[in-house]
Amino acid sequence: GQQLNQSPQSMFIQEGEDVSMNCTSSSIFNTWLWYKQDPGEGPVLLIALYKAGELTSNGRLTAQFGITRKDSFLNISASIPSDVGIYFCAGQRAQKLVFGQGTRLTINP
Amino acid sequence: EAQVTQNPRYLITVTGKKLTVTCSQNMNHEYMSWYRQDPGLGLRQIYYSMNVEVTDKGDVPEGYKVSRKEKRNFPLILESPSPNQTSLYFCASSFLTGLNSPLHFGNGTRLTVT
């Protein structure tokens, strides 16, 4: 089945640093979503993007829907310990949702 | 509280012993779906349902069955589990309104098949 290419696969950063991760696809999507998964829990929606070129913020998180509709990025500014977890991008077309492989974020205090 | 509830959270079983993982949502969502999560592969869709009595295969349906007899429930059935079905499973649901209805996930079921 189709998958998105999400990078990096893992990140080890210092508290306070900014984080950037992205997803690319060979196919066009109508919606891009970013989820975060904490240990032992299901993914929780962080940001949803519905229009090509859209730039959306949610607190310290900023995400953009690529102009070609084939990519998206997520930035986290001034990271804090509770940002630790796995971040997933997902492209949606109708009711079909395709996930990236995930980015595992580790923060050193 | 609006939620997707899966049971059990943890399950250890042996090869060939039929099992069912239940999923229930209280948000009146039409769409429900099952995913499995494996290291390095992200979440892959097993089956989905657009409404009662309507189910379709996802990307990795082999070895699984589902049913949708009621709107709120979407059980995942493994008739004859095998070790390669050891994984973390998530149920999810949403409204069937096209673009602006993101998925809500349950907290997962960790299955081990020995």
Side-chain angles (χ1 to χ4, degrees):
Chain A
Q2 181 182 25
Q3 274 197 305
L4 303 179
N5 295 314
Q6 184 173 349
S7 65
Q9 289 189 20
S10 59
M11 302 182 74
F12 299 85
I13 63 169
Q14 297 294 123
E15 184 178 350
E17 285 185 25
D18 296 343
V19 173
S20 184
M21 59 191 79
N22 68 82
C23 270
T24 60
S25 171
S26 57
S27 302
I28 289 174
F29 290 102
N30 297 324
T31 301
W32 281 91
L33 306 165
W34 285 92
Y35 285 85
K36 182 190 178 209
Q37 184 180 20
D38 291 324
E41 298 184 14
V44 174
L45 183 67
L46 296 174
I47 292 181
L49 302 156
Y50 302 111
K51 287 170 52 177
E54 179 180 355
L55 184 71
T56 297
S57 293
N58 178 6
R60 293 178 296 106
L61 276 61
T62 302
Q64 183 157 32
F65 191 148
I67 198 73
T68 64
R69 297 164 67 194
K70 293 182 179 181
D71 63 305
S72 178
F73 73 74
L74 174 71
N75 287 342
I76 305 172
S77 63
S79 59
I80 60 177
S82 62
D83 290 335
V84 165
I86 303 176
Y87 292 80
F88 289 101
C89 64
Q92 185 170 356
R93 190 186 306 113
Q95 291 304 132
K96 180 70 174 177
L97 200 64
V98 179
F99 284 87
Q101 302 95 327
T103 296
R104 183 181 293 274
L105 179 61
T106 303
I107 297 176
N108 299 316
Chain B
E1 181 188 350
Q3 60 187 3
V4 178
T5 303
Q6 295 178 229
N7 279 296
R9 289 294 308 273
Y10 302 92
L11 180 58
I12 301 174
T13 190
V14 296
T15 299
K17 186 176 181 183
K18 180 180 178 180
L19 66 92
T20 299
V21 184
T22 65
C23 175
S24 179
Q25 50 90 9
N26 61 0
M27 295 168 279
N28 203 33
H29 287 163
E30 299 94 354
Y31 181 85
M32 296 186 76
S33 181
W34 276 102
Y35 294 85
R36 61 177 288 173
Q37 182 179 8
D38 302 290
L41 297 176
L43 290 114
R44 295 179 292 168
Q45 191 177 47
I46 302 170
Y47 267 94
Y48 65 96
S49 169
M50 307 275 267
N51 216 322
V52 176
E53 301 293 358
V54 179
T55 63
D56 281 293
K57 295 178 180 179
D59 296 318
V60 288
E62 293 78 20
Y64 304 95
K65 285 174 55 178
V66 293
S67 70
R68 190 86 184 276
K69 293 183 171 55
E70 310 161 276
K71 197 172 188 178
R72 64 183 293 126
N73 296 323
F74 189 46
L76 179 69
I77 303 152
L78 284 73
E79 295 272 2
S80 182
S82 61
N84 64 12
Q85 292 178 298
T86 292
S87 187
L88 180 58
Y89 291 87
F90 286 101
C91 180
S93 70
S94 71
F95 289 113
L96 199 66
T97 52
L99 294 181
N100 297 350
S101 182
L103 282 174
H104 296 262
F105 284 85
N107 281 334
T109 296
R110 186 169 291 281
L111 172 65
T112 302
V113 183
T114 61

